[in-house]
Amino acid sequence: MPSQVNGNSNGVSTRKFENGVYTPLITPMTDDEQVDLHALKKQVVRLADAGMGLVLLGTNGEASHLMDAERSSVIRAAREALNSAGHHSVPLLVGTGGGSAKHTIALAKQAKEAGADYSIVICPGYFAFAMGGNKDAVKGFFTEVLDNSVLPVMIYNFPGAASGIDIDSDTLIELAEHPNCFGAKLTCGNVGKGSRLAAHTQSKEYLSRHAPFQVLPGFSDIMYPGMVVGMTGSITGTGNIIPKTIVKLYNAAAKAIATGDREATAEALDLHRRVAAADWIVVKAGISGTKLALDKWVEAGLGGVPRKPLPRSTDETVRLVESLRPFWEFESTL
């Protein structure tokens, strides 16, 4: 079911955020670590043509390494590329997380002015020693952001990028009641947490008061089992490389779950196993490996290098990227 935020007067988007699969794009960079907007535009259109949803300036996008002006330039370039290619209705979910609530709110305003439709916000991790065990501090941060963001907000739970802060299902359910909160990305990999959040937000009582709510795992290797228990798709970095395969998996899984059709179930399981294997390789290869894979398998210059302090590719990274060959060959048949 397509969902659209009906949040506060500042947070309504005219582009629907539908159930499905989304890719947190890498931010292409030249050898001297400058943002390559030309390469970014190519990747944006390539993914949209494949039916893949778009997330800018997330973890894969190295948002924490970019200047505020660079963030705006990435959003503007992506919107321009989508419009030029006829993808006017494709929404842009954009990372607006900052080190404080005040900066996060300002980044959302800046993102909207640049062409963003929705925001995704991670819990700041610098002061994890002070707030990591303090649920009130975590809820206070998100409530302040939700109250004041000019964009509808998806909560991004990624302990690995938030100094170990892991938001539990009770807190997520409480925050999901806010009218400007439209979803949660769970890169904690916790299917049980997603199941509990989905059960709450898909209940008749919740839907009588709110628009549909997105519950999205941050890995495509748990998308199919996650969808079985109510999750609504996935946000997956592996989509940078094999978007058509992942879109095909989502469609097969949705059909299998909706109809119980044996053929669709067998196809979904086969695709799940294929994507799970590729996903693990990409996770191990990291951001530098994802960029290298784009350069090797898709088009030279489409990825480039990461910005320091992220390490560049090693011999092991090259080996991992080479092992993606069979997955790229399958992608090329679609």
Side-chain angles (χ1 to χ4, degrees), residues 165-229:
I165 296 175
D166 189 6
I167 308 171
D168 63 29
S169 56
D170 292 339
T171 303
L172 289 169
I173 286 170
E174 185 174 342
L175 291 169
E177 292 293 333
H178 196 289
N180 206 29
C181 184
F182 79 99
K185 177 188 178 186
L186 304 178
T187 313
C188 50
N190 191 320
V191 175
K193 182 186 297 184
S195 176
R196 291 187 291 274
L197 180 58
H200 176 78
T201 56
Q202 292 167 15
S203 67
K204 289 183 179 180
E205 182 183 359
Y206 181 90
L207 292 172
S208 71
R209 295 178 282 112
H210 298 282
F213 188 92
Q214 294 289 328
V215 183
L216 299 167
F219 303 100
S220 48
D221 62 357
I222 62 171
M223 178 171 64
Y224 184 20
M227 288 173 66
V228 170
V229 295

Side-chain angles (χ1 to χ4, degrees), residues 281 284-285 315-325:
I281 294 170
K284 290 186 288 185
D315 290 344
E316 175 62 10
T317 313
V318 173
R319 185 192 69 77
L320 287 167
V321 168
E322 179 59 37
S323 70
L324 288 169
R325 179 184 295 275

Side-chain angles (χ1 to χ4, degrees), residues 43-253:
Q43 175 73 336
V44 163
V45 173
R46 169 180 169 259
L47 294 180
D49 285 347
M52 179 65 73
L54 306 175
V55 184
L56 300 175
L57 304 176
T59 305
N60 270 301
E62 299 177 74
S64 63
H65 296 168
L66 302 185
M67 308 296 184
D68 287 2
E70 289 178 314
R71 291 188 182 207
S72 288
S73 69
V74 165
I75 300 166
R76 288 194 184 94
R79 188 74 263 164
E80 289 170 3
L82 288 170
N83 291 347
S84 295
H87 293 296
H88 301 277
S89 63
V90 172
L92 286 176
L93 174 61
V94 175
T96 62
S100 66
K102 188 176 184 67
H103 189 206
T104 300
I105 292 163
L107 286 173
K109 183 175 184 293
Q110 174 185 295
K112 183 176 182 180
E113 291 170 351
D117 301 284
Y118 300 87
S119 75
I120 180 167
V121 176
I122 193 169
C123 188
Y126 190 90
F127 288 105
F129 61 88
M131 62 184 293
N134 187 334
K135 287 188 180 182
D136 288 340
V138 173
K139 286 190 291 186
F141 165 77
F142 279 108
T143 300
E144 179 75 12
V145 170
L146 289 164
D147 282 347
N148 294 282
S149 174
V150 297
L151 292 172
V153 176
M154 175 177 286
I155 295 170
Y156 181 16
N157 186 50
F158 186 9
S163 299
I165 296 175
D166 189 6
I167 308 171
D168 63 29
S169 56
D170 292 339
T171 303
L172 289 169
I173 286 170
E174 185 174 342
L175 291 169
E177 292 293 333
H178 196 289
N180 206 29
C181 184
F182 79 99
K185 177 188 178 186
L186 304 178
T187 313
C188 50
N190 191 320
V191 175
K193 182 186 297 184
S195 176
R196 291 187 291 274
L197 180 58
H200 176 78
T201 56
Q202 292 167 15
S203 67
K204 289 183 179 180
E205 182 183 359
Y206 181 90
L207 292 172
S208 71
R209 295 178 282 112
H210 298 282
F213 188 92
Q214 294 289 328
V215 183
L216 299 167
F219 303 100
S220 48
D221 62 357
I222 62 171
M223 178 171 64
Y224 184 20
M227 288 173 66
V228 170
V229 295
M231 292 189 184
T232 54
S234 177
I235 297 179
T236 168
T238 304
N240 278 284
I241 305 162
I242 52 170
K244 294 178 183 178
T245 304
I246 294 172
V247 169
K248 188 176 179 66
L249 167 58
Y250 171 81
N251 290 333

